[in-house]
Amino acid sequence: MPVLYALIVATLFPFALGPEDALLQRIAGGVVLVTVLLAMLLALDAMFRSDIEDGSLEQLVLAPQPLALMLGMKILAHWFTTALPLIVIAPLLAGMLHLPVQVMGVLMLALLLATPMLSLLGAVLVALTAGTRRSGMLLALMLLPLCVPVVIFAAGAVAAAQQGLPWVAPIAWLGAALVLALVLAPLACAAALRIALDA
Amino acid sequence: MSKWIPLWLHKLGSPPIFYRFAGTLRPWFLALALIAGAIGLYGGLVLAPADYQQGDAYRIIFIHVPSAWMGLFIYGVMAVASFIALVWRIKLAEAVAMESAPIGAAFTFITLVTGSLWGKPMWGTWWTWDARLTSELVLLFLYLGVIGLYHAFEDRRQGARAAAFLAIIGIINVPIVHFSVNWWNTLHQGSTVRILGPSKISMDMLWPLLTMMVATKLYYVASLFGRVRADLLELEGGKDWVRRIATGEQATGEQA
């Protein structure tokens, strides 16, 4: 479903901005990143919903294994089912927008580092809203400040590669941030879930 | 001496005592804020000389800069109160954190509006994707996220604790956003007023600015006290001390 959504959004851009190659080529990297981000946001909302409805989330909280570890696995599963398909079709989207082939590698690398970040950060916020009824718009509002740096560095790497500049620095920053998030986000997610479920 | 201060602080954490304490102090803070604001504005708008380059347009800093400081300062207060609320589960800290958020959002909004009013004649544009402007906008979104999350819960205390957690995530995020957008794009001038080392601003302009800063701080405290008082009444509604206030005020109202 997120894949279809991303495809539709990416298709709409040339209609809105005109089909000139030069323009599309310039914005292709950013458009693909933002499209992937929006598609992930669409799927984030449902991350814990079915678990809350059938009560299995409470079982997870009560289980003897550390909650952070299990949430980490849940986030990993979410990343496999949502982000990985998006990464697979990203070259197709980028190709539709005429992104040069030599930049494609950098785009894929940026997506590979940025999407787990978004899954991890998003999971913390989804956990916070777990006790509320409607959370779609609220989730977008809360996620925006957190994903600004991710978008800046990921898009910065693609733009630098497109201009033939060295692109390692922003990628390295993304990698560093990912390592940090990988350690801290499951813990924060567990704490947030305990608050939201009042456990 | 060293014993009664912690004891006093401990007592102040109880809602009825804070309610009376804040009620006594609030008019003083409000009056001082209005006086300091009047002096600061008179000094800034009338006494201070015009800028050699920007003319009279620079005078917006007497609103813009204190508001910007307050936007960050209140976020700091909110995060500290949130931390206290999460760790020690103090009801008063939750109220302080949650009632700070709308005031901080208002100051941040004023900063953005006055900034863009100034930007039109000076930079020739209402809005530009400059690092400081962008981080200020992100700060506003952080405030709105906290307010939104607080109101999304049916149980107010649970909402307060979730929003407090978000505020703490936000304060880790603020410097990251600040540095990343700085790296991305910057046009805004650097800081002119420094705490360490000499400021790059004339004394005639500096004193009204600092007076305005004091005025906004005092106003924040007065506003916060009023809001927290109202919040405590609502949270503690049905408890004995609230009932006594409600019936007592009614009785005096009938007499008058």
Side-chain angles (χ1 to χ4, degrees), chain B residues 88-190:
Chain B
W88 288 287
R89 301 207 169 194
I90 297 172
K91 205 182 272 182
L92 184 65
E94 287 169 13
V96 167
M98 288 308 113
E99 296 306 326
S100 287
I103 311 174
F107 271 117
T108 311
F109 185 68
I110 291 172
T111 310
L112 283 170
V113 170
T114 51
S116 75
L117 284 177
W118 176 86
K120 184 61 186 164
M122 287 301 135
W123 291 342
T125 170
W126 296 108
W127 180 260
T128 162
W129 290 99
D130 161 70
R132 279 211 188 181
L133 276 70
T134 316
S135 20
E136 198 69 23
L137 187 66
V138 168
L139 186 67
L140 182 65
F141 282 133
L142 278 171
Y143 273 125
L144 293 181
V146 169
I147 298 169
L149 187 61
Y150 174 49
H151 289 289
F153 281 83
E154 273 165 35
D155 182 50
R156 309 225 0 212
R157 293 206 61 186
Q158 204 186 345
R161 268 188 288 134
F165 194 79
L166 184 65
I168 291 170
I169 297 176
I171 204 149
I172 301 167
N173 193 39
V174 163
I176 300 176
V177 170
H178 184 77
F179 287 114
S180 59
V181 291
N182 248 345
W183 177 81
W184 174 58
N185 190 9
T186 190
L187 174 69
H188 198 289
Q189 65 211 52

Side-chain angles (χ1 to χ4, degrees), chain B residues 74-85:
Chain B
I74 295 177
Y75 202 94
V77 172
M78 187 170 80
V80 171
S82 297
F83 183 76
I84 294 171

Side-chain angles (χ1 to χ4, degrees), chain B residues 6-41:
Chain B
L7 189 69
W8 178 74
L9 276 177
H10 194 73
K11 269 189 183 164
L12 206 55
S14 118
I17 290 176
F18 183 84
Y19 182 83
R20 259 177 276 134
F21 171 80
T24 334
L25 285 188
R26 183 167 179 263
W28 291 98
F29 274 106
L30 197 60
L32 284 174
L34 288 178
I35 293 169
I39 295 173
L41 279 182

